[in-house]
Amino acid sequence: MTYDLILRGGRVIDPSQKLDAVTDVAFAGGKVARVGAGLQGDASTDIRDVSGAIVSPGLIDLHTHVYWGGTSLGVDAEDFCRRSGVTTAVDTGSAGPGNFAGFRKHVIERSQVRILAYLHVSFAGIYAYSARVMVGESEELRMMAPVDAVQVANANRDVIVGIKVRVGAIASGRSGTVPLDIALQVANEVGLPLMAHIDQPPPNYEEVVARLRPGDVLTHAFRPFPNAPTTVQGTVKPAVIEARQRGVLFDIGHGKGSFAFKTARAMLANDFRPDTISSDVHTLCINGPAFDQVTTMSKFLCLGMPLPDIIAASTANAAFAVKRPELGSLKPGSVGDATILSVKNGRFDYVDVVGEHLEGDRRITSEGVVIAGRWWHPKHASAVKSA
Ligand SMILES: [Zn+2]
């Protein structure tokens, strides 16, 4: 067999097959072809020495905003992924049924990075989110578009992986949980998962998770008070534990206002790890406090979560949430995406959304990305030697 690319000698961490070993990974025809020691290429094979680095399945950032130019909060997916090791950016509700066609044609189809999307139930998605103009798109119930959302979701099942709704004092205001109930009807009708955002109460955390079905995702799960998942005693609220037992997935969605070290410490002390780690990158948090996926992952590393679990939360678990098992894995036959990571030791300053600083001793950085079986971002390939 002729391989297009071989990553040689890295520490391959692939939680989808419980693999953590120094070995090679080969790609052919856009897919993972083989994992094993001593793989040989021929004259046409791009062979990269990644010894000393970590090879993981391509990172999936489950919560991003990449409708660049179409929405004020959108960032450029390729720029973002180049620096943060992400091969699949899942956009969560930037577009609704009224403007999804532009997102698809002008952004998703032109992007070398994979973009999947949760479709917002509000007609124009998150249309007024900036430093000076902030209008909760879920508050105005005339904007709720369940029939259009069903049509658009069904017409774009190759890229739409779920339905998005934002509820909270900022996002849905006086409409409370009504937009969530409408979005659940859409999700039921199209047979896709729902991702729900929460911000400040009302509605409270318990009211929101109580409505979610197995496989639905609560994002901003480790947010600060008010509406944290923890009690004043530092335990996990019973409704949160009950929702996990029922199969609800808990996503980080760091963003500008949705991740606190205090909450994360308490959750991890209770052995309640996030199912998925995501950045919620958008224009108001890409320059801090969220920055990107690898920074968000680094925070969890410094808080004591084991590296293989952090990689699982950014690969296999995210693939499970979007029901795309061909992503987030290096099993032969999987989509040929991989991320080359390094873990640097030192003293690093991290900050959360309430301004708390954490001095960490490690930092995860992206050293390279493989998309569809090809080395993708040569501009940033300095750490890896071409052999
Ligand atoms: Zn978001």
Side-chain angles (χ1 to χ4, degrees):
M1 177 155 204
T2 302
Y3 301 126
D4 299 320
L5 171 67
I6 296 174
L7 301 176
R8 183 161 280 165
R11 176 184 169 195
V12 179
I13 301 179
D14 179 8
S16 79
Q17 43 187 337
K18 298 190 168 51
L19 177 66
D20 184 348
V22 173
T23 191
D24 300 345
V25 183
F27 301 85
K31 295 183 188 296
V32 180
R34 211 167 149 195
V35 178
L39 299 183
Q40 297 299 321
D42 61 22
S44 66
T45 307
D46 181 8
I47 299 174
R48 304 257 170 178
D49 177 2
V50 294
S51 53
I54 292 161
V55 177
S56 101
L59 300 183
I60 302 167
D61 190 339
L62 190 68
H63 190 149
T64 70
H65 293 283
V66 294
Y67 190 177
W68 185 89
T71 55
S72 55
L73 82 167
V75 301
D76 183 285
E78 290 183 357
D79 271 0
F80 166 71
C81 292
R82 192 171 268 123
R83 74 174 90 162
S84 66
V86 170
T87 58
T88 300
V90 184
D91 183 280
T92 64
S94 298
N99 56 354
F100 186 81
F103 186 29
R104 177 170 187 129
K105 180 169 180 179
H106 302 306
V107 177
I108 295 174
E109 290 179 0
R110 295 166 60 131
S111 173
Q112 292 182 28
V113 171
R114 288 173 206 292
I115 300 174
L116 300 173
Y118 288 89
L119 180 73
H120 209 304
V121 70
S122 188
F123 190 67
I126 304 170
Y127 60 83
Y129 190 103
S130 79
R132 282 181 292 278
V133 176
M134 189 67 77
V135 179
E137 77 286 349
S138 297
E139 179 159 10
E140 174 52 83
L141 294 179
R142 287 179 300 173
M143 297 290 281
M144 290 292 123
V147 175
D148 305 72
V150 167
Q151 286 173 353
V152 171
N154 280 333
N156 296 275
R157 306 238 1 166
D158 54 336
V159 292
I160 290 178
V161 294
I163 303 300
K164 176 77 186 289
V165 69
R166 298 200 315 142
V167 292
I170 298 166
S172 65
R174 281 161 294 178
S175 296
T177 54
V178 173
L180 172 55
D181 293 333
I182 296 170
L184 277 165
Q185 289 192 30
V186 174
N188 274 324
E189 184 69 15
V190 296
L192 289 172
L194 178 83
M195 178 186 275
H197 146 123
I198 52 169
D199 52 69
Q200 299 189 22
N204 68 36
Y205 202 118
E206 292 94 321
E207 285 176 89
V208 174
V209 289
R211 285 171 157 80
L212 300 183
R213 311 161 303 165
D216 288 343
V217 179
L218 180 80
T219 192
H220 310 320
F222 286 14
R223 52 164 286 109
F225 175 87
N227 248 0
T230 43
T231 67
V232 68
Q233 291 83 17
T235 59
V236 182
K237 290 175 177 170
V240 178
I241 295 170
E242 193 277 326
R244 166 161 278 183
Q245 286 167 347
R246 196 154 35 87
V248 173
L249 304 175
F250 290 82
D251 174 55
I252 291 303
H254 189 308
K256 177 171 76 82
S258 311
F259 176 75
F261 292 134
K262 183 182 175 190
T263 304
R265 276 194 206 95
M267 295 298 275
L268 295 176
N270 285 281
D271 215 23
F272 195 113
R273 293 175 186 159
D275 291 291
T276 51
I277 294 173
S278 63
S279 69
D280 186 17
V281 66
H282 55 67
T283 46
L284 302 188
C285 71
I286 192 168
N287 296 314
F291 295 100
D292 57 28
Q293 181 71 7
V294 282
T295 303
T296 309
M297 292 165 70
S298 298
K299 291 175 179 177
F300 277 91
L301 189 66
C302 294
L303 289 166
M305 191 165 158
L307 181 63
D309 292 346
I310 292 168
I311 290 177
S314 310
T315 58
N317 295 3
F320 176 80
V322 297
K323 300 190 192 302
R324 297 287 176 108
E326 70 277 19
L327 299 171
S329 174
L330 293 172
K331 284 180 197 154
S334 302
V335 163
D337 293 1
T339 301
I340 292 82
L341 299 168
S342 68
V343 178
K344 296 186 166 49
N345 295 305
R347 287 153 75 101
F348 304 99
D349 179 54
Y350 298 101
V351 65
D352 69 5
V353 304
V354 295
E356 184 186 336
H357 286 260
L358 168 75
E359 188 186 291
D361 58 355
R362 283 167 296 169
R363 179 167 199 88
I364 301 170
T365 57
S366 167
E367 307 296 347
V369 160
V370 174
I371 295 180
R374 303 275 178 183
W375 190 261
W376 180 62
H377 59 353
K379 280 186 208 167
H380 194 70
S382 56
V384 175
K385 301 144 274 190
S386 200

